[in-house]
Amino acid sequence: MPRFVRRWLTILLMLITLTSVVMYIRAADLTLALAAVGSIGPKFLLLLGITLCAYVLGTMSWQCCLGSSAKKLSLFRLFIIRHTGETFGVFNPVS
């Protein structure tokens, strides 16, 4: 795929995703969400840390499954790819 096509496709997908996220946030009751986070208290940070560990371990398992192909991608880059895919899947109604 030519570089300029890939660039425009990336921009288009980012705009579609950003639009979906904005629509999701506008439809959500942020007051209720913040109240729920507030009711958890400081343990929310612990929850975020545990979730981060789970994502990193999941990414490491991807790295193991890729075998020699994993050498082309850093753990951080693979983490970003995995996280982006999962986030897109949350906002994409057909996934």
Side-chain angles (χ1 to χ4, degrees):
M1 179 181 307
R3 188 176 182 98
F4 72 93
V5 173
R6 186 173 35 192
R7 183 180 187 104
W8 283 107
L9 185 59
T10 301
I11 291 170
L12 177 65
L13 289 174
M14 288 176 65
L15 287 174
I16 290 170
T17 303
L18 183 61
T19 302
S20 298
V21 169
V22 168
M23 290 173 62
Y24 181 83
I25 290 172
R26 288 185 64 195
D29 185 356
L30 294 180
T31 307
L32 183 61
L34 291 175
V37 170
S39 70
I40 297 171
K43 291 181 182 177
F44 182 70
L45 294 175
L46 177 63
L47 180 63
L48 287 178
I50 292 170
T51 304
L52 176 65
C53 286
Y55 268 94
V56 170
L57 290 173
T59 304
M60 290 170 76
S61 70
W62 270 32
Q63 200 173 34
C64 289
C65 291
L66 287 174
S68 62
S69 299
K71 294 177 183 173
K72 298 176 185 176
L73 297 169
S74 68
L75 184 65
F76 179 74
R77 178 82 172 145
L78 194 57
F79 177 86
I80 295 298
I81 292 169
R82 181 175 185 266
H83 189 65
T84 301
E86 290 202 16
T87 302
F88 187 73
V90 168
F91 292 104
N92 185 357
V94 295
S95 65

